[in-house]
Amino acid sequence: MCGSKSRSLVFLGLVCNSLEMVFSSSTGFSMSIYDVTSRSIYLRWPKFSGAFTYRITATAVNTVGHSLQAHFSGITFTGTLTSLIPNTVYVIQAEAIDMNGIILAETQIMQSTAPDIPVIDQAYSKLSNSITVEWRAVPGATSYLLSAQDGDSCIETTVTNSPGTVMGLKPATSYRITIRSINAGGKSQPSPSRKAKTVLAAPVLSVSSPSCDSIAVSWKAVYMAAGFSVSLMRSDGLGRMLKQNTTNTSFVFTNLDPGTLYTIKAYAWNANGLPGDDFTYNQRTSPQAPVDVQVVFNSGALRAVVSWMPAEGALTYTVTASSGLLKLKCNTSSASCVVLPLQCGSEYSVFVTAHNDAGSSKPTDAVSLKTIPCAPGNISIEEDEPGNLLVSWSSVNFGHYYVVFVKSDDGLEVHCNTSHTQCHFQSDCGFTYFISVFAYNKAGQSPLGNVFNYTTAPCCPSDFHAVLVTSDTVEVTWAPVRGAELYETKAAEGSSAVLCNDTATACTLSALRCNTLYNITVYSFSEARGSNTSCTSKYVATAPCSPEIKNISKEALSVVTVHWQSNNEEATYTVTARGDAGLWHCTSSGNSCTLVNLPCGSAFSVSAIATSPTGQSLPSYSVPLETAPCCPNDLTLTQVTQSVTNISWSAGMGAQTYITLLESSKGWAKCHTLQNYCLLGCIACGTSYTVSLRAISETGLTSSCTYQGYSSSACCPSGVKLYRIGNNGIRVYWRASAEAKSYNTDLHGSKGNFTCTPSSGQSYCDITEIPCGDVYTVVVSPVTDKEPKLTFCPKKIYSVTCSGSSVGMGKNKQHIHSKFMMFAKLINTVTPNKLQISYIG
């Protein structure tokens, strides 16, 4: 703790050092220590119920007869034992006593006092941030607490013995120094204070070497400083020390050794001449310029090797090669360096600079370096006349003479030497020549410049063949020639031309005009030189033009004439009709020809081709041709009812729909259908009809077909009635039609079937011995020679029963009236075991 404090402040302190608390094992009464000094122990205890006073007794353990006792009221709970012996162990006993003097509770504790107060012998400062204190050792002290106080600030540090140093102080500042001894029991009171002042702070140096033989030192002003002392000496100990006292804040040391490391030390002193902290700095002087600079030029790599004698104290070197505004630099730590890339045709000034951490030397004297000439430029190659090449170029700096190399693609190489800027060479067609030009001087050969290639015009194809492929296409082939990268085949006719470009030795000329004579030439091309225009040509005629069909006229059912238009000369034309039914042809040298025997119901594609000695044309555009549909071969009529007839036929090739027609003097019947059958109604019975059919194609072509006449069946009779005759007989009666002369009568029942055919011209028929007690179906049909028995005449149903006497409309006969599809029942009374006839439907 910094500074002295009153006893009351100590009593109120909340921080306890070596705090101990002991409880009574029987009453819970306890006591604790919250501070200890050399001669005092500070105690506290809790209130004990019933206590009137508290008695505290301290007895020294190792000192005979030394005991202290103190009394405190019942409302006091802290107390101090004073006048104790330093560095002594005491047994402290606390007793709670009531108002009658009876001890209610007691407790005790052992506590040592702090060591005795130290005495400072001296306090002094050697560094600007510390003060060193010396004192005599105190018995029983295990450590010491040093305090340095400056106004309100206080810095403390703990040490084990004398001397001790307080760090972290301010320079040139007065402090009040105290010391306290410490043991396990606590701390002593602070010693009597001593004043001490820290020395001046060290100046902070800024050092540089402005030249190879000088060092400049500068610093900022130091608080409370009256002057400064700066000294310099070689770091290796050689030579003498240079020292300078000054009141300024800078100084320059001169006449020093270049590239040498020096140690600089500086400190400030106050008005009393006392020195402060010193500041030490190592600084090297900058190096001298290197000597004996040598430059060796490598012409092949366009670089120079520069070497020199090492300079004392130099860490690195920079080589600079300067040519006009161009500067090349090379940095190294050795005594040589390679400068690259140098430029051809240039003159360089080369100098070397040495460097270390202090700075750079002056550049050496420049060394001149001339490089090889550059490769000649503006090279031009001309074929001034066939078989002769002229190579020319521009002159270059430092070029004394030139060599031109010309190498053909077959490996042959020639060259020429000249001090001029052009050379002549012989050349052949279809060759590529590789040309390079070099310039020379004393430094050597120029770098390889651009290698130029010159390709002479390719050779012409010596021969080619032209073959007519189609009427407008010619295929041309030839043998490859030297130097040709591309071939152009040209077919010219008048002012128009057709071109074909290809790398192959064949070309197909298409889209030519038919029936035309073309002049065909094959040119050879190279990308570098273009076309050889001296190649020969051939004349080739194309095939005739395709005819154009203008019209197809139908001459008859299976005959058509095809008309076309064409301007071909000496051409023969062939017309082909192609269809599923086969091929039909006709040939003519005019503008038309006739196709015959074409099948009905067929579709054809008609085209024409022209043929001449030069070849065959492409087919003309096809024109569709359709013949009329075929008539059905078979046609059948079947009478379904008295007024309905079914007509059917076989399919007619090429027909999609059919129209059938039956005509007579009594009327007609017609139907239009997609099928190959049809039902015709409103047919008059017993009538003769004419039969016709029209077959119609999908496009509307029609064929009219006529067949054998048809007669409808005779009319069915009307008014069919049944009469009883005799005991077991029946007479069937009807009204005959005008057309029918003979009829057939059928009765069908479960007990038997009965048929009777009357004589021609009669309108009734008798059936005898017919069983009674059955239901009969009665049908009367006309009979013809050509037709089978008709099945569509009306059917009537009668019930024939067995009964008694007769009762009815007639006296001897029972007349049964009937209507078709109606139910009526008439029961007649007959004599016993006689027939009774009833109409059912």
Side-chain angles (χ1 to χ4, degrees):
M1 181 178 293
C2 295
S4 60
K5 296 190 181 210
S6 65
R7 182 64 52 82
S8 61
L9 291 176
V10 175
F11 289 148
L12 297 176
L14 297 178
V15 178
C16 299
N17 188 16
S18 301
L19 181 62
E20 294 186 39
M21 181 177 289
V22 178
F23 292 88
S24 171
S25 60
S26 60
T27 61
F29 182 55
S30 63
M31 176 179 54
S32 62
I33 297 172
Y34 63 88
D35 196 10
V36 176
T37 66
S38 301
R39 298 181 179 275
S40 302
I41 296 177
Y42 301 88
L43 306 169
R44 64 162 62 111
W45 54 90
K47 180 181 178 181
F48 192 84
S49 179
F52 181 73
T53 60
Y54 297 93
R55 183 169 59 203
I56 308 298
T57 302
T59 304
V61 174
N62 296 323
T63 302
V64 179
H66 185 77
S67 178
L68 294 176
Q69 192 176 78
H71 293 267
F72 301 92
S73 67
I75 60 174
T76 301
F77 309 108
T78 61
T80 302
L81 296 176
T82 62
S83 301
L84 302 179
I85 302 172
N87 193 35
T88 301
V89 177
Y90 285 88
V91 175
I92 302 170
Q93 180 173 315
E95 299 170 314
I97 304 172
D98 64 7
M99 60 189 319
N100 296 320
I102 299 174
I103 298 174
L104 301 177
E106 64 181 12
T107 184
Q108 69 177 16
I109 189 173
M110 295 184 69
Q111 174 63 45
S112 172
T113 55
D116 206 355
I117 300 172
V119 177
I120 297 175
D121 291 337
Q122 61 175 335
Y124 52 88
S125 173
K126 290 184 178 180
L127 298 176
S128 61
N129 66 341
S130 66
I131 292 176
T132 301
V133 184
E134 295 181 2
W135 66 92
R136 291 185 298 275
V138 176
T142 58
S143 62
Y144 300 89
L145 179 64
L146 300 179
S147 299
Q149 187 170 5
D150 169 30
D152 294 333
S153 65
C154 179
I155 297 178
E156 293 181 334
T157 186
T158 301
V159 298
T160 58
N161 49 40
S162 177
T165 301
V166 182
M167 305 294 292
L169 305 182
K170 294 181 290 186
T173 303
S174 293
Y175 286 91
R176 188 167 61 87
I177 308 299
T178 59
I179 184 171
R180 301 174 69 180
S181 59
I182 304 172
N183 67 3
K187 303 174 185 175
S188 70
Q189 286 89 349
S191 68
S193 64
R194 276 288 183 94
K195 284 189 177 183
K197 188 176 183 178
T198 53
V199 298
L200 300 181
V204 178
L205 302 182
S206 177
V207 184
S208 64
S209 177
S211 64
C212 64
D213 62 349
S214 66
I215 291 178
V217 185
S218 63
W219 57 90
K220 292 182 180 180
V222 176
Y223 175 66
M224 298 296 290
F228 302 92
S229 179
V230 184
S231 61
L232 176 142
M233 187 174 182
R234 286 179 60 125
S235 298
D236 56 7
L238 300 177
R240 62 187 182 85
M241 177 185 290
L242 301 179
K243 185 174 182 179
Q244 181 67 37
N245 293 330
T246 180
T247 58
N248 297 325
T249 56
S250 64
F251 186 76
V252 178
F253 293 95
T254 58
N255 299 320
L256 304 180
D257 298 328
T260 303
L261 183 63
Y262 286 89
T263 299
I264 300 101
K265 182 179 293 187
Y267 62 88
W269 68 81
N270 61 14
N272 297 324
L274 294 176
D277 284 351
D278 57 46
F279 186 94
T280 301
Y281 192 90
N282 290 328
Q283 174 66 45
R284 189 182 299 273
T285 52
S286 57
Q288 277 186 322
V291 295
D292 193 19
V293 177
Q294 301 291 328
V295 179
V296 178
F297 177 66
N298 184 332
S299 61
L302 272 178
R303 65 182 185 178
V305 179
V306 183
S307 60
W308 55 90
M309 291 296 293
E312 179 68 27
L315 300 179
T316 60
Y317 301 90
T318 298
V319 179
T320 303
S322 177
S323 176
L325 297 177
L326 178 64
K327 288 186 178 181
L328 298 176
K329 290 189 176 182
C330 170
N331 296 319
T332 182
S333 59
S334 64
S336 65
C337 194
V338 178
V339 179
L340 77 166
L342 299 175
Q343 289 187 345
C344 59
S346 299
E347 183 175 5
Y348 289 89
S349 295
V350 181
F351 52 87
V352 184
T353 304
H355 311 275
N356 62 14
D357 52 5
S360 302
S361 70
K362 293 180 180 180
T364 62
D365 293 333
V367 178
S368 178
L369 169 65
K370 289 183 179 180
T371 62
I372 58 175
C374 293
N378 297 323
I379 298 175
S380 66
I381 305 168
E382 298 178 3
E383 197 170 2
D384 51 0
E385 61 183 32
N388 185 41
L389 290 180
L390 173 63
V391 182
S392 59
W393 58 91
S394 298
S395 61
V396 296
N397 291 335
F398 308 117
H400 295 166
Y401 67 95
Y402 305 90
V403 177
V404 182
F405 295 91
V406 177
K407 185 176 183 179
S408 60
D409 52 9
D410 63 353
L412 181 64
E413 183 178 66
V414 295
H415 69 276
C416 81
N417 295 340
T418 181
S419 59
H420 301 290
T421 57
Q422 65 179 18
C423 273
H424 290 272
F425 296 91
Q426 290 185 344
S427 63
D428 292 321
C429 71
F431 275 100
T432 297
Y433 294 93
F434 300 94
I435 301 167
S436 55
V437 182
F438 293 91
Y440 292 83
N441 64 10
K442 293 181 179 180
Q445 174 185 294
S446 68
L448 175 64
N450 292 328
V451 177
F452 291 87
N453 62 72
Y454 183 88
T455 303
T456 56
C459 300
C460 286
S462 59
D463 191 16
F464 65 89
H465 301 279
V467 178
L468 186 68
V469 179
T470 64
S471 61
D472 64 348
T473 303
V474 173
E475 186 178 66
V476 184
T477 58
W478 58 90
V481 295
R482 187 177 64 235
E485 300 173 354
L486 180 71
Y487 299 95
E488 180 181 79
T489 306
K490 180 179 180 180
E493 189 275 324
S495 59
S496 63
V498 177
L499 300 177
C500 169
N501 295 320
D502 204 331
T503 56
T505 57
C507 195
T508 300
L509 295 169
S510 58
L512 301 177
R513 288 206 305 271
C514 55
N515 196 39
T516 303
L517 183 64
Y518 281 93
N519 184 13
I520 298 179
T521 309
V522 179
Y523 299 98
S524 55
F525 276 82
S526 68
E527 184 178 356
R529 196 53 47 214
S531 173
N532 190 337
T533 59
S534 62
C535 302
T536 59
S537 61
K538 292 183 179 180
Y539 284 94
V540 175
T542 57
C545 299
S546 298
E548 180 183 359
I549 296 176
K550 291 295 186 179
N551 183 35
I552 299 177
S553 60
K554 295 184 179 179
E555 308 298 333
L557 181 62
S558 62
V559 179
V560 296
T561 298
V562 182
H563 304 268
W564 60 85
Q565 177 181 351
S566 178
N567 296 323
N568 297 315
E569 298 178 0
E570 299 180 359
T572 301
Y573 299 90
T574 300
V575 176
T576 301
R578 186 184 306 272
D580 295 339
L583 298 176
W584 276 259
H585 304 280
C586 67
T587 302
S588 172
S589 59
N591 292 325
S592 66
C593 71
T594 301
L595 295 169
V596 298
N597 298 323
L598 296 176
C600 62
S602 300
F604 297 94
S605 176
V606 181
S607 62
I609 293 177
T611 305
S612 73
T614 59
Q616 189 178 73
S617 74
L618 294 174
S620 68
Y621 294 119
S622 297
V623 176
L625 171 65
E626 180 185 359
T627 57
C630 299
C631 289
N633 292 328
D634 300 319
L635 185 141
T636 303
L637 289 94
T638 303
Q639 192 159 352
V640 180
T641 67
Q642 186 169 286
S643 62
V644 177
T645 297
N646 180 61
I647 181 170
S648 61
W649 55 89
S650 60
M653 181 175 295
Q656 185 186 44
T657 62
Y658 303 90
I659 297 177
T660 57
L661 180 65
L662 299 182
E663 292 182 283
S664 71
S665 58
K666 295 182 180 180
W668 54 271
K670 178 181 178 182
C671 77
H672 191 182
T673 180
L674 289 167
Q675 311 298 329
N676 58 348
Y677 61 88
C678 186
L679 289 176
L680 294 175
C682 301
I683 301 298
C685 55
T687 305
S688 295
Y689 289 88
T690 61
V691 181
S692 63
L693 181 143
R694 293 169 61 194
I696 305 171
S697 70
E698 185 177 359
T699 60
L701 294 178
T702 302
S703 294
S704 297
C705 312
T706 303
Y707 298 90
Q708 183 179 1
Y710 166 71
S711 296
S712 61
S713 62
C715 298
C716 293
S718 61
V720 177
K721 300 176 183 177
L722 266 66
Y723 296 92
R724 179 176 55 84
I725 57 174
N727 291 334
N728 296 315
I730 289 177
R731 173 171 289 178
V732 181
Y733 173 79
W734 58 88
R735 286 195 297 275
S737 62
E739 298 82 4
K741 295 182 179 180
S742 298
Y743 294 90
N744 185 63
T745 302
D746 293 303
L747 277 78
H748 300 283
S750 63
K751 296 183 179 181
N753 298 324
F754 302 90
T755 301
C756 70
T757 303
S759 300
S760 177
Q762 290 184 348
S763 58
Y764 66 90
C765 181
D766 295 335
I767 299 174
T768 60
E769 300 299 329
I770 186 170
C772 63
D774 200 356
V775 175
Y776 293 91
T777 299
V778 181
V779 179
V780 180
S781 305
V783 178
T784 62
D785 297 337
K786 298 180 181 180
E787 296 178 354
K789 185 185 294 184
L790 300 180
T791 60
F792 52 76
C793 287
K795 299 178 181 180
K796 294 184 182 291
I797 300 175
Y798 290 89
S799 175
V800 179
T801 59
C802 301
S803 59
S805 58
S806 297
V807 176
M809 296 177 61
K811 293 181 181 180
N812 297 318
K813 300 175 182 176
Q814 177 63 42
H815 182 197
I816 306 301
H817 298 276
S818 65
K819 293 183 179 180
F820 186 67
M821 296 305 292
M822 293 180 60
F823 178 81
K825 186 177 181 182
L826 297 176
I827 301 176
N828 297 328
T829 303
V830 295
T831 57
N833 299 323
K834 303 297 183 182
L835 290 175
Q836 181 179 354
I837 300 173
S838 300
Y839 175 66
I840 297 176

